[in-house]
Amino acid sequence: MTDSLTRASSAASVVLLATTPACRLSCADGTLLDRLGDQLATLSVRDVQVLTPGGALLTHGEQPDAEHAENAGGLGADLRAVAKLARGSTGAVVVLPADLVAHTDALGLLLQHPARGSAALVSSDADGGPRRPPVRVEGGRVVAAGSSFHTVPQANATFRGVLQAGEGDLASLADVAEELADLAESGRLGPVSTIEAVDLLLVGMVRAGARVRAARLGRLHADRVTGQSTCDGAMARLAEVDEDQVRLDTAIKDRDGFFTTFFVSTWSRHLVRPAARLKLTPNTVTGCSVALAVLAAVWFSAGTRGGQVAGAALVYLSFVLDCLDGQLARYTRAFTPLGAWADGMADRLKEYVVYAGLALGYADGLPWQNGGPDGIWYLAIAAMILQVVRHAIDFAFGGSVADANRIGAMWAKPVRSLLEETDGRAGAPAPGVLGLAHRLERDSIVRWAKKMIVLPIGERMALIAVTAALFNARVTFAALITWGSVAALYQLTGRIARSTR
């Protein structure tokens, strides 16, 4: 998944809003502003600027002169400074209040996410208390956001003060910041203060139609503080959480396939930390996975019962390493486009090499005329073609959705006014087949059945291993073609239903 465990410098520009007295509160690492600077350095963020009360953007560590220190510009000046930075930036911009007490990994949820798109740090509070500022999250996105001026009906999460604008939304961030500055300076937003600058920016971006990913904190903490007592309490809450254990837990997908979840991830998680300590890269693990698949194909090509069993065991171990490379990449937050591409290509290569080994073993040196004995080569090719078609359905649909979101986002929905005090219900229940699918998703048995019916790679590897060990290659290919055909029909129906919403 990546070439090295050494993290590259983050492409994001960070602006620390040091415009409230709370950022100077003391903690074990100095002031909160100093602590955040150290955390950003840990996350390999190099471009950090501090927004002073005078509205000046200074390099972190640079001291403001007397004019900047005395000339407090207020909320309007802060927002205009953010707009200026957004217009001059060539990469993602993160707006971060300096009165924040947060786990380093909580900041990493935005700053080290490989997509580098627009995102907001949110928590789903379970205590039933007031959500301030409130947001509503649907489908992993923030679809409504609030402030002291804007309310959010049916809020289900709380914004934790960290906002990232992706490169494609920088112009939107700048426009929103300037519009909000005009409203604040004219008094049309009411008694809002500089503390709410980042809250208002999130409101504006959501209402402008930006797709803002909801980066959920989970068990991590990120709290804005107002005084020394609240700061000390927030620091104590950080110490109660084993940050490394949370990182390991989040590195293991909780929405994976049935076979992967219950027969692989239950024990592959114990290999992640040792692999990291050995400084193995995810790409190295991917290479080992490919090597095991090739060995499995060699054993399958022997055509003996012992060879079939040995090949099946190696297929399973190869898939375990295939899961481990992704878990290791998420644990170390070491992502590269090359690694993602190599991982996807390795999956295809391993599967098709195993197909060839199975067919060779079944043919046992007999002539290839008429597709070999029992048409085994025809079956192998048919299984391969079916798999190619299924992947084409998935990738073509994903690409078309991404294009539609990028090209049509701004005129597909009206932009809501920043002066609206309430935010109506976003979206309606999905109709027809898609709505039924969403309702059935609430049942755990149905949810697992839906995951299995599409024959994901975990189920495919399990199907290959079990049928090859117990039967023969012809049964393996027949099972892959039958189940794969059902999966392709299911996928195609779902894609059509989603496309016609």
Side-chain angles (χ1 to χ4, degrees):
M1 298 284 286
T2 187
D3 295 324
S4 172
L5 293 185
T6 302
R7 296 190 184 109
S9 177
S10 172
S13 298
V14 175
V15 53
L16 281 171
L17 301 181
T19 54
T20 62
C23 69
R24 301 296 177 183
L25 293 172
S26 62
C27 62
D29 305 308
T31 66
L32 289 186
L33 182 59
D34 294 333
R35 183 177 186 275
L36 280 170
D38 293 340
Q39 288 179 299
L40 293 172
T42 300
L43 295 171
S44 301
V45 179
R46 302 288 179 253
D47 185 4
V48 181
Q49 298 187 61
V50 180
L51 179 61
T52 69
L57 282 168
L58 307 176
T59 302
H60 187 241
E62 181 182 358
Q63 297 299 317
D65 56 31
E67 179 184 357
H68 289 147
E70 295 175 4
N71 180 25
L75 178 60
D78 294 350
L79 292 167
R80 293 193 190 283
V82 172
K84 180 180 178 180
L85 176 65
R87 293 207 185 280
S89 180
T90 57
V93 170
V94 177
V95 184
L96 180 63
D99 55 9
L100 185 77
V101 175
H103 283 107
T104 302
D105 272 6
L107 302 180
L109 293 174
L110 267 68
L111 291 164
Q112 293 185 324
H113 193 278
R116 302 202 186 283
S118 295
L121 201 60
V122 304
S123 64
S124 301
D125 305 306
D127 58 8
R131 303 182 186 277
R132 297 185 182 135
V135 294
R136 186 168 68 251
V137 176
E138 294 178 1
R141 293 194 298 120
V142 178
V143 298
S147 67
S148 63
F149 185 85
H150 308 86
T151 60
V152 178
Q154 303 177 18
N156 58 9
T158 303
F159 177 46
R160 288 303 180 182
V162 187
L163 173 65
Q164 175 171 285
E167 185 177 351
D169 290 322
L170 290 179
S172 177
L173 174 64
D175 292 342
V176 163
E178 290 172 349
E179 181 181 352
L180 285 166
D182 291 338
L183 294 173
E185 290 167 349
S186 65
R188 298 172 69 190
L189 285 180
V192 295
S193 67
T194 55
I195 296 176
E196 294 189 79
V198 67
D199 305 339
L200 291 168
L201 289 172
L202 176 60
V203 172
M205 286 189 64
V206 171
R207 291 179 176 228
R211 296 177 63 86
V212 180
R213 177 177 62 89
R216 294 185 179 273
L217 277 170
R219 288 177 286 160
L220 299 174
H221 293 297
D223 299 299
R224 298 187 67 180
V225 298
T226 56
Q228 193 61 54
S229 61
T230 57
C231 177
D232 294 341
M235 292 295 294
R237 283 192 292 276
L238 296 188
E240 295 171 356
V241 176
D242 184 342
E243 201 167 351
D244 187 68
Q245 183 61 47
V246 172
R247 180 188 291 193
L248 177 61
D249 292 341
T250 54
I252 312 301
K253 291 182 179 179
D254 59 355
R255 292 180 175 271
D256 223 326
F258 180 84
F259 181 79
T260 304
T261 299
F262 294 104
F263 294 94
V264 177
S265 295
T266 50
W267 67 276
S268 65
R269 63 184 295 119
H270 301 297
L271 304 177
V272 175
R273 282 174 174 155
R277 284 194 293 268
L278 291 171
K279 299 190 180 303
L280 295 177
T281 68
N283 275 353
T284 300
V285 178
T286 299
C288 293
S289 176
V290 172
L292 287 182
V294 172
L295 286 175
V298 171
W299 278 107
F300 283 143
S301 67
T304 63
R305 177 54 54 195
Q308 297 290 104
V309 173
L314 288 170
V315 164
Y316 172 67
L317 292 176
S318 172
F319 180 66
V320 171
L321 293 185
D322 183 46
C323 295
L324 179 63
D325 65 2
Q327 293 165 355
L328 181 60
R330 288 186 290 275
Y331 178 74
T332 58
R333 294 220 177 96
F335 303 99
T336 65
L338 173 63
W341 174 82
D343 184 58
M345 292 297 293
D347 287 345
R348 308 289 80 76
L349 173 64
K350 290 182 296 184
E351 192 168 354
Y352 300 152
V353 164
V354 166
Y355 287 1
L358 285 166
L360 280 169
Y362 190 88
D364 196 23
L366 295 177
W368 288 30
Q369 285 84 357
N370 299 318
D374 300 321
I376 193 66
W377 287 105
Y378 291 153
L379 291 175
I381 293 171
M384 189 178 298
I385 291 174
L386 178 60
Q387 208 44 49
V388 170
V389 170
R390 290 187 57 226
H391 284 298
I393 292 173
D394 269 348
F395 285 107
F397 181 79
S400 66
V401 169
D403 289 342
N405 289 335
R406 184 173 62 252
I407 297 171
M410 293 307 296
W411 51 271
K413 58 186 288 188
V415 177
R416 288 166 286 177
S417 169
L418 290 172
L419 285 175
E420 291 180 36
E421 293 191 2
T422 60
D423 186 1
R425 174 70 177 169
V433 173
L434 197 57
L436 176 61
H438 288 328
R439 289 192 293 274
L440 290 175
E441 187 76 15
R442 300 168 189 166
D443 184 90
S444 59
I445 296 177
V446 174
R447 185 169 65 251
W448 284 119
K450 286 175 62 179
K451 287 179 177 293
M452 294 175 67
I453 196 174
V454 297
L455 192 58
I457 188 169
E459 272 65 18
R460 290 202 304 279
M461 294 298 102
L463 184 64
I464 291 171
V466 171
T467 55
L470 298 180
F471 304 102
N472 56 44
R474 194 166 186 273
V475 173
T476 298
F477 291 134
L480 286 169
I481 292 171
T482 302
W483 193 343
S485 298
V486 174
L489 181 61
Y490 180 85
Q491 287 174 282
L492 189 59
T493 302
R495 298 299 181 263
I496 293 173
R498 289 179 182 276
S499 300
T500 55
R501 282 189 63 180

